[in-house]
Amino acid sequence: MIRVQAEDFDPGAELAAFSTGNGKVGGICMFLGLVRDYLGDHPGQGAGVNAMTLEHYPGMTERQLAAVEAEARDRWPLHAVLIIHRHGRLEPGERIVLVATASSHREAAFQSCHFLMDWLKTKAPFWKIEHTDQGDQWVAAKEADDDAARRWDR
Amino acid sequence: MIRVQAEDFDPGAELAAFSTGNGKVGGICMFLGLVRDYLGDHPGQGAGVNAMTLEHYPGMTERQLAAVEAEARDRWPLHAVLIIHRHGRLEPGERIVLVATASSHREAAFQSCHFLMDWLKTKAPFWKIEHTDQGDQWVAAKEADDDAARRWDR
Amino acid sequence: MNVLYFAWLRSRIGVGEEILVVPESVTTTGALVAWLKTRSDGHAQAFADLKLVRVAVNQDYVGWDHPITPADEVAFFPPVTGG
Amino acid sequence: MNVLYFAWLRSRIGVGEEILVVPESVTTTGALVAWLKTRSDGHAQAFADLKLVRVAVNQDYVGWDHPITPADEVAFFPPVTGG
């Protein structure tokens, strides 16, 4: 299931709805992405971030996320997939994204969740602009994210 | 933090307490292991499982899990680690284990959570006995689990 | 043709969407960019380095030689930074 | 010496814990197993194939040549299956 929304979500409630405990699911892997309060890769390195705004491409976002979900289901035996991604203005500590996968096997749950995040990072049309005391700044894409996604090439 | 307990836990509440959203955490990875209702690797392959009982070695369990947590913290920059493992009688669909890691970076969160599960699977002194209509049966250790843990050798 | 711009391409060009009548000779995404660059300094600046630009036709990623028709939705944006 | 058994080793031996006075000549985990096997058929059966048995001294995994003293807690169990 794919949800793209401005509103916050409750990971616990999402997880409770997701893990129906139907006796076939052996493992659930969940990733939760949060807004950090600093620029760059390390705390204290750059300026503080007061907030960020996530712009997206409505329509294409849902389309690309659905394609990513389909790819994951094709690669691993999954009982359920959930992707929630927020857009709009977000402050440090706020939730940005949740990805969860349920499988009979732990390895499939871990790998598919990791894959979904890596692909989402390079394919889902979202763009972050960070609001700092020094002004606004569009976040540049990271080489490391491309490398992470390429791991899953086949 | 390590908890070994007979009681169930609420993953949502655990996650809420865990993800303080302090502005430094960029990603949380969580794995939740559940009791399946079948024996063997594939549904429908073996007999149905009515329940299982997890025996453990009190004292050594906590000691080994603490060692595994320390190893993860040594390998990745983690803001928080949570391991909850239940023992006693568990029915299909019930929660067995929760592992969560919080880091500034998604890759560290994913890898450390995966590592903790793989190591826990081969080092934490728990033993499962499955209760089926055909009688009780101690679960045999899996080669695949040893292989999974060996990935992290260094 | 419906042309969309996102993130810093939108900031530089000044609008997020243009409905354009494109010359018949413009039949690929690459040709569209060459033509768009003549429309304003903002356009020229936005498309100065195509290594920093991605293009989607009808919401799928495509390359710079992808065919386009007047009925298409064409979007330009920087590499994505969500998640 | 406090000796513990878990899972099917406990089932076969019939008890989960024994407090034993071990001969002075028994100074390693391997020697302890050899001596335990003489105590009952259940012990002999439990330790028939040491590839299926793990040993911990004072709650740390050790090998079959690890030294032991009367003050140690020694535990025998199959490969673990938690998680």
Side-chain angles (χ1 to χ4, degrees):
Chain A
M1 187 197 290
I2 308 289
R3 277 159 46 199
V4 180
Q5 61 189 51
E7 308 75 50
D8 193 14
F9 52 86
D10 176 347
E14 299 297 342
L15 190 67
F18 186 72
S19 74
T20 54
N22 68 359
K24 305 305 170 207
V25 173
I28 292 171
C29 186
M30 186 175 118
F31 181 84
L32 184 64
L34 305 171
V35 180
R36 294 181 301 195
D37 64 3
Y38 57 90
L39 294 172
D41 277 346
H42 300 286
Q45 190 185 47
V49 170
N50 303 322
M52 65 162 58
T53 299
L54 266 153
E55 180 177 328
H56 78 123
Y57 180 176
M60 182 167 174
T61 304
E62 289 81 356
R63 186 179 170 80
Q64 293 298 320
L65 291 178
V68 169
E69 174 180 345
E71 180 70 27
R73 286 180 178 275
D74 192 50
R75 294 187 184 206
W76 292 278
L78 301 177
H79 295 290
V81 174
L82 174 63
I83 304 175
I84 307 175
H85 204 303
R86 293 177 69 191
H87 56 82
R89 185 186 164 89
L90 300 174
E91 302 197 350
E94 281 200 74
R95 290 173 272 270
I96 307 172
V97 62
L98 181 152
V99 168
T101 55
S103 178
S104 295
H105 300 287
R106 122 178 148 273
E107 189 64 25
F110 266 115
Q111 287 202 18
S112 57
C113 188
H114 203 164
F115 165 85
L116 283 168
M117 273 306 300
D118 284 347
W119 265 38
L120 178 161
K121 277 283 209 184
T122 58
K123 293 190 193 289
F126 287 94
W127 303 274
K128 286 182 184 136
I129 185 165
E130 289 174 327
H131 311 301
T132 77
D133 291 341
Q134 284 76 50
D136 292 351
Q137 186 178 315
W138 288 100
V139 174
K142 288 194 197 120
E143 191 91 34
D145 286 332
D146 288 334
D147 293 343
R150 263 195 295 270
R151 276 188 297 203
W152 305 100
D153 283 354
R154 62 174 192 184
Chain B
M1 189 198 287
I2 308 289
R3 277 161 44 202
V4 180
Q5 60 189 52
E7 307 76 49
D8 192 15
F9 52 85
D10 176 347
E14 298 298 341
L15 190 66
F18 186 72
S19 75
T20 54
N22 68 1
K24 304 306 171 207
V25 174
I28 292 171
C29 187
M30 187 174 119
F31 180 84
L32 184 63
L34 305 171
V35 180
R36 293 182 301 192
D37 62 4
Y38 57 92
L39 294 172
D41 277 346
H42 300 286
Q45 192 184 45
V49 171
N50 303 323
M52 65 161 58
T53 299
L54 267 152
E55 178 176 330
H56 78 122
Y57 181 176
M60 182 167 173
T61 305
E62 291 80 357
R63 187 178 168 83
Q64 292 299 320
L65 290 178
V68 169
E69 174 180 345
E71 181 69 28
R73 287 181 178 275
D74 191 50
R75 293 188 185 206
W76 292 278
L78 301 177
H79 295 289
V81 173
L82 174 63
I83 304 175
I84 307 175
H85 204 304
R86 293 176 68 191
H87 56 83
R89 184 185 164 90
L90 299 175
E91 301 198 350
E94 280 200 75
R95 291 173 272 268
I96 308 172
V97 61
L98 182 152
V99 168
T101 55
S103 177
S104 296
H105 300 287
R106 123 178 146 274
E107 189 64 24
F110 266 114
Q111 288 202 17
S112 57
C113 188
H114 202 164
F115 164 85
L116 284 168
M117 273 306 301
D118 285 347
W119 265 38
L120 178 160
K121 277 281 208 185
T122 58
K123 292 188 194 287
F126 287 94
W127 303 274
K128 287 182 185 136
I129 185 164
E130 290 175 326
H131 311 301
T132 78
D133 291 342
Q134 284 75 50
D136 291 350
Q137 185 178 315
W138 288 101
V139 174
K142 289 196 195 115
E143 191 91 32
D145 287 333
D146 287 335
D147 293 344
R150 264 194 294 270
R151 277 187 296 204
W152 305 100
D153 283 355
R154 62 174 191 185
Chain C
M1 185 177 295
N2 200 13
V3 180
L4 307 177
Y5 308 107
F6 292 95
W8 57 255
L9 277 97
R10 177 177 46 69
S11 312
R12 288 197 195 160
I13 289 165
V15 296
E17 181 166 8
E18 294 185 295
I19 296 171
L20 299 170
V21 179
V22 172
E24 274 185 26
S25 61
V26 173
T27 59
T28 67
T29 46
L32 177 60
V33 166
W35 180 72
L36 286 169
K37 284 171 81 169
T38 65
R39 288 180 45 84
S40 79
D41 283 356
H43 286 80
Q45 210 181 53
F47 291 110
D49 183 356
L50 283 192
K51 283 200 299 293
L52 303 178
V53 180
R54 301 291 177 267
V55 57
V57 172
N58 302 326
Q59 307 186 350
D60 277 322
Y61 289 98
V62 298
W64 294 116
D65 54 359
H66 192 84
I68 51 172
T69 72
D72 288 335
E73 176 177 291
V74 183
F76 298 99
F77 45 78
V80 304
T81 57
Chain D
M1 186 178 297
N2 200 13
V3 180
L4 306 177
Y5 309 108
F6 293 95
W8 56 256
L9 278 97
R10 177 177 46 69
S11 313
R12 291 198 192 159
I13 290 166
V15 295
E17 181 166 7
E18 295 185 295
I19 296 171
L20 300 170
V21 179
V22 173
E24 273 186 27
S25 61
V26 172
T27 59
T28 67
T29 46
L32 177 60
V33 166
W35 179 73
L36 287 169
K37 284 170 82 168
T38 67
R39 287 181 46 83
S40 80
D41 283 355
H43 286 81
Q45 210 181 54
F47 290 111
D49 183 356
L50 282 192
K51 284 199 299 292
L52 302 178
V53 180
R54 301 291 176 268
V55 56
V57 171
N58 300 327
Q59 309 186 349
D60 277 323
Y61 290 98
V62 297
W64 294 117
D65 55 357
H66 192 84
I68 49 172
T69 72
D72 288 333
E73 174 177 292
V74 182
F76 298 100
F77 45 78
V80 303
T81 58

